[in-house]
Amino acid sequence: MVRQEIFSFLEALVANNSKEWMDQNRAWYESAKQEVVKVFDPILDELKSFDPRIVQPTARKSLNRINNNLMFHPDRPTYKDHFGIGFGYGKGLADFYIHLGVDELLIAGGLWHPPTDKLKKLRMEIDYEGHRLQGILEEEYFNTHFQLYHEDKLTNAPKGFDKNHPQIELLKMKSLAVFRPINRVDFLSDDFSELVVSSYKAVVPMLDFINVAITDGGFLE
């Protein structure tokens, strides 16, 4: 199977999104998943060569489940329209993510919908060290290629914070995450590995900022 077949499988899944269809096409699904693993295993090895904190042992272990969680979201289709793969440092920490979908492909990183206690710690860190985070976000490569998710934020300043705080827009965030749109041409290119590795290096300082904040400074110790 070649990389393009990953999208052929996902397109067929979206058009026939049912357990019955998946059961009949389980071998195709496994082949598509294996192709994703084949792409990302060497990428993961390279990332771990300079950042051994990454806990995922293999790309297969890094893949998200393709089943949607229907217990909490019964209105969703049975299966997702994408393969998602994440590299990080442990449960509950900010991590690095690649999304390969039918209509959307992206490279992303950050902390998505943290619980209240972690969000509170993150806001405190932004309050005291927001200039450092601002510097990370304004770094040339990062600022050129990545965008902040702005959809999930408060309208007003969070309780206890000055509305005129220099980083008030960051303090309003309920998730702190960034994304880089890519396309199928990027994924199918021989340069895709380099794209992922350079993106990871750009995002790591932000992940470190977040993880130090939510672990009371213990993440890098």
Side-chain angles (χ1 to χ4, degrees):
M1 176 178 281
V2 296
R3 292 188 188 187
Q4 181 59 49
E5 282 299 301
I6 294 169
F7 301 108
S8 297
F9 167 77
L10 290 172
E11 287 163 355
L13 176 61
V14 169
N16 303 276
N17 202 314
S18 69
K19 185 177 184 303
E20 293 74 21
W21 185 89
M22 178 65 93
D23 288 344
Q24 293 169 8
N25 291 273
R26 183 68 56 178
W28 191 9
Y29 164 61
E30 292 296 336
S31 294
K33 183 165 70 171
Q34 183 55 40
E35 187 64 23
V36 175
V37 169
K38 184 175 153 186
V39 170
F40 283 98
D41 262 337
I43 293 175
L44 176 58
D45 287 343
E46 183 170 357
L47 295 180
K48 293 177 76 170
S49 72
F50 61 81
D51 192 349
R53 299 173 300 171
I54 296 173
V55 299
Q56 288 76 21
T58 65
R60 182 172 287 274
K61 291 290 186 180
S62 308
L63 273 170
N64 296 343
R65 290 173 57 85
I66 202 165
N67 305 65
N68 272 315
N69 188 335
L70 300 181
M71 178 178 293
F72 297 105
H73 303 282
D75 55 327
R76 291 182 179 176
T78 304
Y79 300 101
K80 300 170 185 174
D81 65 351
H82 63 273
F83 285 106
I85 188 162
F87 303 132
Y89 317 113
K91 186 176 180 180
L93 295 173
D95 61 4
F96 182 73
Y97 173 75
I98 300 99
H99 180 105
L100 305 174
V102 171
D103 298 316
E104 182 179 50
L105 290 85
L106 55 84
I107 298 172
L111 188 66
W112 193 251
H113 291 167
T116 302
D117 60 330
K118 290 184 178 179
L119 181 58
K120 182 178 179 180
K121 289 179 179 179
L122 179 56
R123 283 178 172 156
M124 291 297 293
E125 189 74 5
I126 295 172
D127 184 28
Y128 293 123
E129 298 287 342
H131 63 283
R132 288 183 50 242
L133 178 58
Q134 198 70 51
I136 292 168
L137 301 180
E138 291 175 358
E139 188 275 327
E140 184 176 0
Y141 183 92
F142 189 102
N143 189 48
T144 300
H145 297 291
F146 286 92
Q147 306 169 44
L148 274 166
Y149 281 100
H150 284 287
E151 293 81 0
D152 191 30
K153 63 187 296 187
L154 300 173
T155 302
N156 301 311
K159 185 177 179 180
F161 294 96
D162 186 343
K163 66 180 181 179
N164 296 314
H165 191 287
Q167 280 77 44
I168 189 58
E169 295 306 314
L170 293 173
L171 287 167
K172 290 179 182 179
M173 299 287 188
K174 292 190 284 184
S175 296
L176 184 55
V178 296
F179 68 99
R180 175 182 191 168
I182 58 174
N183 54 48
R184 294 191 189 188
V185 173
D186 294 321
F187 178 69
L188 299 173
S189 166
D190 291 338
D191 297 326
F192 180 66
S193 295
E194 182 180 337
L195 175 64
V196 175
V197 171
S198 60
S199 296
Y200 180 83
K201 289 178 177 178
V203 169
V204 161
M206 187 190 76
L207 302 184
D208 287 347
F209 180 94
I210 296 170
N211 290 330
V212 166
I214 65 177
T215 58
D216 298 319
F219 175 70
L220 295 178
E221 291 179 358

